[in-house]
Every structure is written in C-alpha cells, then in structure tokens.
Amino acid sequence: MISGRTSRPVTVLLVEDNEVDREAVQRAFAEQRIANPVVEAVDGVEALEILRGTGGRAPLARPYLVLLDLNLPRMDGIELLRTLRNDPQLSDSIVFVLTTSKSDEDKTAAYRANVAGYIVKGEVGRGFMRLVDLLDHYWKIVEFPEGAA
Amino acid sequence: MRRFWEVLETVREPLDAAVLKVASGLPAFAGVLASLDPGTAKQRAADDRARERSALVEGNWSGYLEGLREQGKAFARMGIAFRDWRALLSPYRRVIWQKVIPPGLGDLSDVLSGMNTFLDIAMSGIAEAYIETKQELVLAAERDLNLHVRMFESSTLGKLIYAWEAPPDEGSFRLLAANPAASAAVGRDLRELVGQRLGDLGLAEQVRETGARLAKAAEGEPQAWTLETSVPGGPARSFEVRAFSLGGPHVGVMFEDVTARREMERELERHVRDLERSNRDLDEFAYVASHDLKAPLRDIDNLSKWIVQDAGGVVPEKTHKHLSRLQDRVGRMERLLEDLLQYSRAGRVKTAPEEVDLRAAVSSAAALAALPEHFKLEVVGEAAPLRAPRAALELVLRNLMTNAVKHHDRKDGLIRVELADAANLVQLTFRDDGPGIPPQFHERVFRMFQTLRPRDEVEGSGMGLAIVKKTVEAHGGSIRLESVPPRGTAFHIRWPRRERA
C-alpha cells in the first residue's frame, strides 16, 4: 500500500512546447533541490509516444504524473487527455494542467477529463516556485495508482 | 277650386296683360321677354294654362308643382330674384277681386285686401328667411367642401379614390380621382388613368396585389403595405401605401415614396453593423494581442533573471544595470498589456446589475486603490442606491483615485467625491487638489496610451482614464473633465440609474 511512495521517486512528464517554460520548471526543481526525474515532451504526440513506449522505447515507468500545457502543436492538451482516458493502459494517469488559459471552456473540458488540478501559469508565481511546492507535497502525501495489471 | 278656375278663365285676357305689364317693368325679365319669339310665348302660355286646369279642376297638383319647380330652376339659373318672381303673381289677386267682389261691398273688399296683404307679406318674410338660411348653409357647405377638395389636391401625400364597380372582381376598381402629389410620386400624370379600371393596367403582379388590398379595404379592413416597384432600366422604388373604405363602393388610397428614407435606413444599418464589427474586431485584437504577448514577455523575464542568477558574479556592473532596466521594462510592458486587456474587457464583458450604494462603492474602491497614508478621502452629498454592475462602477472609481494619487505633486492630497441624484441618473463629481490638467490636454487624457509626463517619471500605461471613459460610456453614462483654477481637477460623471437593456 505504501510501496508506490517508498519504492521509487515519481517521474514528472512535462508536456510543454515553450522551451523557456520547460527550463523554468527544471530550474525550479533544481532550486528546491528536488531530484525527481523530469521527462520532457514538446506536444501530445511525443507525450503519447513516451507514455506508451513506442519506437523501441519502454513505456514510462510508474509512478509518474503529467504536467500538461493545453496549447500545443500537433496534438493539443485536451486531445491528449481524452486519448489517455480512452486508453486502458493509461486511463489512470494523474495529470495536472499547466496553462496560460483562464478560459472557462478549457477549464470545464479539462475537469471533464478528470485532471488532478487546473493550474494557471500566472498564478503560481515567478519561476513556478509554488507549483514545485505543490507537487512536492502532493507526491509525499498522495497514493499513486499501481497501474493496470 | 273649380269655381276659381271658372272665374280665372273669364279674366284670362286682362290677367295675362297685367302679368306682362309687371314683367316688362322688371329689368330681370326684360331680357327674357325680348328673346322670346311670339310662337314660343304663345305655346308656353298654353302649357301653363293646361297645367293650371289640371290642378284646379282635376286636383292634379303634382304636375302643376313640377312645372313651377322647372320654372323656378330656370329663373334661379338666369339670376332672377325670388322677390321678382313672386311679383309676377300679384296681378292675380287684383284682377280676380275686381271681377268677383260687387262694387257696393267696399268694406268686404278692404278686409279681404288687408288680410291678403298681411298674409302675403308674412309669407314672403318666412320664405325669404328660409331661402337665405338655406343659401348660407349651402355656401358654408361649399366652403367646407372646398377645403376638403384642397386638402386632397394640395396634400403632399399621394391620394387616390377608387370605386369598386363589380365585386368580387378585384380588377374592377375604377380610378375616380388622383391628386398632383400622386402623379409626382409615380412620375406620370395619373389624371390620364382616371376612368380606367385596375384590370385595364397590364402590370400584372403589383396590380393584382393592389386589387386584393383594395378589396380588403373596401370590406372595412384598413390596409397598410409597402409596394416595391421597378421600372425596367429604372431604379427600384418603395412606396408606403394605405387603403381604407370611404363608405359604399369607394376606397381611399394614400401613399408616399419612401425610397430615399429606406435607402438611408439601410445605409445607417450598414454603418451600425460595420461599426459594431470593427469594435468587436478591435476588442478581440486587444484581447488576443495582450494575452499572447504576455507569454514571450514572461520568457524574457525568466531569461534575464537566470542570467543574473547564473552569471551575477561575472558580469560587469554596467551589464547588471542593463539587466535591471530590462526587467523594469518587462514589468512596464506587462502593466501595459494588463491595462490593454482591461480596456478590451470594459464594456465587452457585461456583468449583471445589482443594487449599489455609492458611498459603499467609494469606500470599497478606495480600499482597492490603496490610498497613501497622507491622502484624505471625503464623500459629500447623498444619492439613492442605483442598479448597476458593481465591478464596473468600482473600477471607474478606483482608476480615478489611482490617477489622482499618481499625478499629485504633494505627498498629501484631498480627494472629494460629490454625490447627487438627477432625474434618471446619478451625478458623481470626483475632485482632487492636484496640479490640474491644462485644457488643451482634456481630450487627450481619455485616449489610449496617453500620458502627460515621461514614463520614467511617472510609471503608468496611460490607459487609466481611457478605461474609465470606455467603461462609463459602455454603461450608458458620460464623463466630462473640468479644470478648477488655480489647482485641481473635477471629473463629472453621469451614470444612468437603470441601465438600458
């Protein structure tokens, strides 16, 4: 029951097309001295490849959580969310949306697809410090899914 | 009566002579008598005599009266006065009395003569008064009728009168009259069509519709419709037409050429639509621009911070200064974008009106504006609560307060808000005791991105008052600026008590 917490650190899959934002998240982790592995994807298509392990790679090891931007090239965040929820292997993924969009439409669509939280970039402070704090607390307290058998 | 006829017959000769004598003495008859040839005169006398006999002997008065009526009409047409006509009958009494009253009976003769004169004069008086009154009535009616005719002829509305000759045939409306305005409106002389039936006009469609409309109007259902006509090669025209029953088979039509008015209305509608669209485009542009421009700005901010973090110890002092300038400008740009966003939202995002107490709104705005310690806020006057979107109203007050503080030249200042009720709006005067705004800049301060001092001196986007003006106007209000020499500025705001839907 506590194995998820104790056995391995949680991997962060950062799906973000803006290089500077990706670096900002990485720096924030480094500054808080959090050593959890961070895997980067630039859009929904790449994220899906990493999660499913296509192209000769192994699927992303559990436990993981996804930090997902909405406005992305090729496959946007909402599309990726819907794909995840329809995939028996991935439907239990924990996803936080991290976006600049404050639109009600986006919020509703994200929560319909069962996101763990909808976070607006401007609201988590310069350098994403509060976001990193939130995640650090989150995986220390919350049980992660075991994954489909 | 028969006895009278017998006596009359015995005096026929002297009687005719006496009547002729009277007639000859009257200028009105002189011409008539002169123009009569003896044969006709003789024939007429014989006719008169036959009619008299028929009435007096056989009691056939209708024939007699008919003759008199004909004679009266002829006299009236010749302009012979009633009085003169009556004078023609006077010889009858004289001649007959001379014949029937025996010479010895002087008294009886006097009494009868007196009675007859009395009745004669009295009857004449009654008859004349009656005729005069009738004549006045006729003249008055004629005057009235003339006015009505002129109303028809001089009206600037096109007017037509139709008669429905053979219902239910809708082609059987015959044009009885058309006024000049009608001809002018359709561009041809409609008098040429008077006497023609609708069915005779070969213009098919519109004529059929007109017929159907006129039929409904004739049946007591007033009609109003718009008639669009297009002459091949000519411009399309619109007429507003009304039709109504004039009683019986008659139908009145009024119409007006509204082509120009319609065209103007359409033009106006087009302009309004264009304006609405370009306003929407502008708002959308401002929203998208400010939203999308923020992302790279945040990146620049991050990158410059990382440079300081990663290479802070290595870069020269001058580069440090430049980097801090860079971050300062990023902050300024962000505020500009934030204000631009707010400007685009003002009026576009409408919140539901609620009951707002103005004093409470002023306090709440002051709290949000975070007035500096040495600034005093006074609220004077009273205004009844109004229904307005609270956020919009507070945004206006807050921006005015921030503006007053920002541009004040002393550490201490006074902001005074005066409230007053007017008919269906609230008057709100917002005064400060700052340096004031020179009159030549009064227009400019309400425009976007306008500041009167360099941004390095007073940090501001120049959007504050533009947002105020747009917000006030989007809610149906108005704002005016007044300088109060030697110092200070007053903003006069009128906010509707109840916003139009």
Side-chain angles (χ1 to χ4, degrees), chain A residues 41-47 49 71-77 79:
Chain A
V42 296
D43 59 24
V45 173
E46 196 185 352
E49 280 169 10
N71 196 4
L72 297 168
R74 294 203 289 175
M75 180 191 277
D76 71 22
E79 270 180 271

Side-chain angles (χ1 to χ4, degrees), chain B residues 32-45:
Chain B
V32 183
L33 291 172
S35 68
L36 276 179
D37 67 278
T40 313
K42 211 170 175 186
Q43 181 58 47
R44 201 167 280 180

Side-chain angles (χ1 to χ4, degrees), chain B residues 346-424:
Chain B
R348 189 168 57 96
V349 180
K350 294 243 173 157
T351 50
E354 53 187 301
E355 189 163 286
V356 178
D357 174 66
L358 279 172
R359 275 178 178 265
V362 171
S363 310
S364 160
L368 284 167
L371 291 186
E373 210 184 331
H374 300 291
F375 261 76
K376 240 180 91 188
L377 174 67
E378 264 182 29
V379 184
V380 297
E382 288 296 335
L386 70 158
R387 281 195 71 76
R390 179 189 299 277
L393 196 57
E394 286 184 5
L395 171 73
V396 167
L397 291 167
R398 189 170 76 237
N399 277 8
L400 287 174
M401 285 179 197
T402 314
N403 193 66
V405 171
K406 196 179 283 177
H407 298 285
H408 211 288
D409 51 356
R410 292 194 315 260
K411 285 251 175 292
D412 60 321
L414 174 68
I415 291 173
R416 188 182 153 98
V417 183
E418 296 162 14
L419 306 176
D421 278 324
N424 43 15

